[in-house]
């Protein structure tokens, strides 16, 4: 899994390269609203769920079947997500910018932790 701020998410498996963002039609011109083409950070949580942080499109979750976008309505006021991690206690955290904040996931939505 690779993130490219401007190209999106790419998966490299041996000699095979998949443009994940294009495959799922999450680039500019594919949809109205947030896109995944400015991916900046990627994280796989303990359950194998993939999380993506973007520049100007908030956070994203991919469980292998469904994408979920997390923005202001979901408790993530930052539209840029620089980093993603999971704490020892299992809480998933997003590091946001504009405004600068750390958001904790409660399993359904995010809340500002710091």
């Amino acid at each position: 899994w690779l993130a490219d701020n401007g190209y999106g998410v790419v998966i490299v498996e041996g000699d095979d390269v998949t443009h994940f963002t294009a495959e799922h039609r999450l680039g500019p011109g594919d949809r109205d609203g947030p896109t995944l083409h400015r991916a900046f950070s990627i994280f796989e949580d303990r359950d194998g769920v993939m999380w993506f942080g973007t520049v100007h499109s908030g956070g994203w979750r991919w469980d292998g079947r469904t994408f979920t976008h997390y923005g202001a309505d979901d408790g993530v006021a930052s539209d840029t997500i620089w980093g993603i991690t999971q704490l020892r206690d299992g809480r998933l955290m997003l590091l946001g910018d504009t405004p600068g904040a750390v958001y904790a996931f409660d399993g359904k939505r995010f809340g500002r932790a710091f």
Side-chain angles (χ1 to χ4, degrees):
W1 293 86
L2 302 170
D4 182 280
N5 179 8
Y7 188 69
V9 176
V10 175
I11 301 172
V12 180
E13 296 177 287
D15 292 334
D16 295 327
V17 178
T18 303
H19 189 192
F20 184 79
T21 299
E23 181 179 280
H24 292 281
R25 303 192 45 78
L26 292 170
D30 291 332
R31 55 179 284 140
D32 292 331
T35 65
L36 195 56
H37 84 285
R38 294 197 63 193
F40 190 85
S41 54
I42 298 176
F43 182 81
E44 183 176 2
D45 71 17
R46 293 177 189 163
D47 297 323
V49 173
M50 298 303 294
W51 293 85
F52 307 98
T54 67
V55 175
H56 304 308
S57 286
W60 293 78
R61 178 182 188 271
W62 166 248
D63 65 7
R65 293 180 312 256
T66 306
F67 282 97
T68 305
H69 173 259
Y70 295 93
D73 292 343
D74 310 294
V76 181
S78 302
D79 67 351
T80 298
I81 304 300
W82 295 128
I84 308 164
T85 194
Q86 193 166 29
L87 303 180
R88 288 184 185 142
D89 66 10
R91 286 182 299 158
L92 187 91
M93 310 292 276
L94 302 181
L95 171 61
D97 186 29
T98 318
V102 175
Y103 302 96
F105 190 56
D106 69 7
K108 196 168 193 176
R109 57 180 284 114
F110 285 89
R112 188 172 179 151
F114 306 101

